Amino acid sequence: MGVTSANLLGKDSLPQANPINIVIYESSAHGGCYKYAIELFKAYQQTEGVNKVSLLLPRNADYGSSKDGVRKILLPDNKQGKKWHFLWRQFVNPWLLFRFLRRYNTDSTSRTFVLLNDFEQTSAPLWAPLFRLFLKKYWFGVFLHDADRDGYPPSPKFSAWCMKNMMRLMHVGLYHGSLPDRTYYKNTKTLFQKVEHGLYAPAKPDEKLRKQLSIWKQAFGGPILIIPGHIRAEKNYELAFEALKGKTNIGLIIAGSPANSAYSVRALKELATKWGVDKQLLWIEKYLTEEEMTAALQSADIVLLYYAASFHAQSGILNQVAPLKTPVITGKLENALTQAVEQYNLGWTIPADSAVALSELLNKIHPQDIQADWEGYFASAAWENQTALVTSLIKTLPLQ
């Protein structure tokens, strides 16, 4: 699968002692990738051997300022994700990055690593070849948070072509868990490195929401489940509703806003009513603040991360939940989420996409039965482990 970090790179690429500059590109102003970019930015600022760190964000991002190294130069990110605005950003943002890199000041004693924490896949055949002009000045890396990109619009074939063009540029590809079997990850000189996700420190809970949830919970004698984050099809809401049938002692909180208009929340609510589980559901249908999300997560006994078999990534939600030491339920899949849950006993793994398996588990589930190795997971997922590993890898990269 391409070239791994364990490969010998040759005598012309010996480790370098010169300091490294880091440029992190993040074109979203909300959501998981945005949150991840901020944590990476803070972690690299504390990493030995790193000279300067810059974080490029959309103009409507609410984090940081230019004096801290944050540059809000990208197009605003519309939370509603209007299609024409999204497409426009696909073409304009790479050009804004190109212009930034042309003007970026570096000295002769340092080298700069440009990390695309988010990337504009649809326009990659246009911008990736152009960025090859910078190969004598910059190293390029990409974070493959969702490494299975063939289903990206408008078609799998076009998507694969875009990824192939982008990966030709990349010196480093970072991923969680495992990479899927894709030609664009094989036919490349990219060095692929597996890294742990990193943990999110919980915010102080929103007291108003916490009290409301506390009152709602009193109607149930069994555990309270939660499906947090953007509402999208891969989270298997329908299977959760089916598994809840007849279990009136169990409540389910659904906390998040719809990811897009293609997935109907109204249809989900109608299905819950049809199956007679609507009284067991509490909908918090909005984009939650950090404080609100903490309150919602703290109100649950179990986090339902029962993703469909098509899910190949790590879950950012797991790394919000972990500091709260709340067990999770996930499907038994070949991805980083399942690997982490099983390795550190963070909850239950059951056959994927099975309402029967989930129902059977809920019949006998007791959160206190889980003896998780939270401390082991915390040590493994520390941000400084990732940044130290990647910095060491960067120092082995050859100059072109």
Side-chain angles (χ1 to χ4, degrees), residues 196-272:
E196 296 297 334
H197 188 284
L199 297 167
Y200 298 120
K204 185 178 179 181
D206 181 278
E207 282 300 312
K208 181 179 179 181
L209 179 58
R210 188 189 64 80
K211 290 177 181 178
Q212 291 173 341
L213 291 172
S214 178
I215 294 171
W216 176 78
K217 288 172 58 177
Q218 293 176 10
F220 303 94
I224 300 298
L225 312 179
I226 185 171
I227 305 178
H230 287 309
I231 299 174
R232 58 183 76 217
E234 65 187 5
K235 293 188 179 181
N236 274 337
Y237 299 93
E238 295 89 345
L239 294 183
F241 297 169
E242 188 174 352
L244 281 176
K245 288 193 294 185
K247 301 175 180 62
T248 56
N249 65 320
I250 298 177
L252 171 62
I253 301 169
I254 299 175
S257 59
N260 54 61
S261 58
Y263 191 57
S264 173
V265 174
R266 179 179 178 181
L268 282 179
K269 292 181 177 179
E270 290 175 351
L271 181 64

Side-chain angles (χ1 to χ4, degrees), residues 121 147-153 155-157 159-160 163 181-182 184:
Q121 182 174 337
D148 187 17
R149 306 294 299 190
D150 280 358
Y152 202 79
S155 73
K157 187 174 181 178
S159 173
M163 289 297 293
D181 184 18
R182 298 286 182 260
Y184 43 79

